[in-house]
Amino acid sequence: MRHNKAVNHLGRKSGHRKALLSNMASSLILNKRIVTTVAKAKALKSYVEPLITKSKEDSTHSRRVVFSYLKNKEAVSELFRTVAPKIADRPGGYTRVLHTGFRQGDAAEMALIELVDFNEAALAAAPKEAKKTTRRSRSKKAEAPAEEAQAE
């Protein structure tokens, strides 16, 4: 059983795991999408999303904190210059994991992880519509005056 085991160790020691996630996060920020296994993509998602949230505030301290995780100057500057302004109004959920099938050699389940606001095909396909309905039911009092106004 997996009780109280929040971190997927990915079959690696902690130093190797930190280096792997740091390199994958840098690649994701620089390339905007990468293909990897599902387990690594899920681990990367929980690793990189707090860094993207940290990049919303462009201060020396937040840059140093992010650099301590990424250890790549180009990735840090890309994150703060291009990624952060584009996701400034998004309250979270900066990455998307799409399952792509199984790898030929060992049948590992593969996934594509990408930054949500940088997928031009999905942004062009999604129509910008206003929200029409609420998920909560309306009270009878609120509906009654609206029905009377329509009848007149």
Side-chain angles (χ1 to χ4, degrees):
M1 287 186 246
R2 290 196 66 249
H3 297 303
N4 294 327
K5 293 182 176 21
V7 176
N8 186 352
H9 296 293
L10 301 172
R12 291 163 171 82
K13 303 278 172 120
S14 64
H16 189 183
R17 188 171 55 251
K18 287 175 188 173
L20 171 84
L21 291 172
S22 173
N23 288 330
M24 287 178 64
S26 297
S27 296
L28 178 65
I29 291 166
L30 292 173
N31 299 322
K32 310 302 186 264
R33 69 175 59 181
I34 56 174
V35 177
T36 183
T37 62
V38 172
K40 287 180 190 173
K42 288 179 179 178
L44 178 62
K45 184 176 183 121
S46 64
Y47 184 85
V48 78
E49 292 212 358
L51 299 180
I52 296 173
T53 302
K54 188 66 112 169
S55 73
K56 287 183 176 182
E57 180 190 347
D58 191 1
S59 65
T60 305
H61 177 66
S62 60
R63 279 182 180 263
R64 285 178 177 165
V65 169
V66 170
F67 182 76
S68 72
Y69 284 92
L70 294 181
K71 298 173 182 62
N72 185 341
K73 268 194 267 190
E74 291 80 20
V76 172
S77 62
E78 177 79 11
L79 177 63
F80 279 88
R81 286 187 186 144
T82 61
V83 176
K86 210 162 186 181
I87 53 97
D89 57 338
R90 183 177 287 274
Y94 312 113
T95 57
R96 176 186 297 129
V97 177
L98 301 170
H99 297 255
T100 58
F102 298 93
R103 189 160 51 198
Q104 181 71 37
D106 59 354
E109 194 173 358
M110 298 300 286
L112 179 131
I113 182 168
E114 64 183 1
L115 296 175
V116 172
D117 290 327
F118 289 89
N119 187 350
E120 289 80 18
L123 291 175
K128 302 280 183 180
E129 293 184 20
K131 197 170 186 181
K132 295 179 182 176
T133 61
T134 61
R135 294 182 64 174
R136 298 181 188 192
S137 62
R138 302 215 187 261
S139 66
K140 298 292 182 186
K141 294 177 187 174
E143 292 178 4
E147 291 173 3
E148 291 173 7
Q150 290 177 354
E152 294 175 3

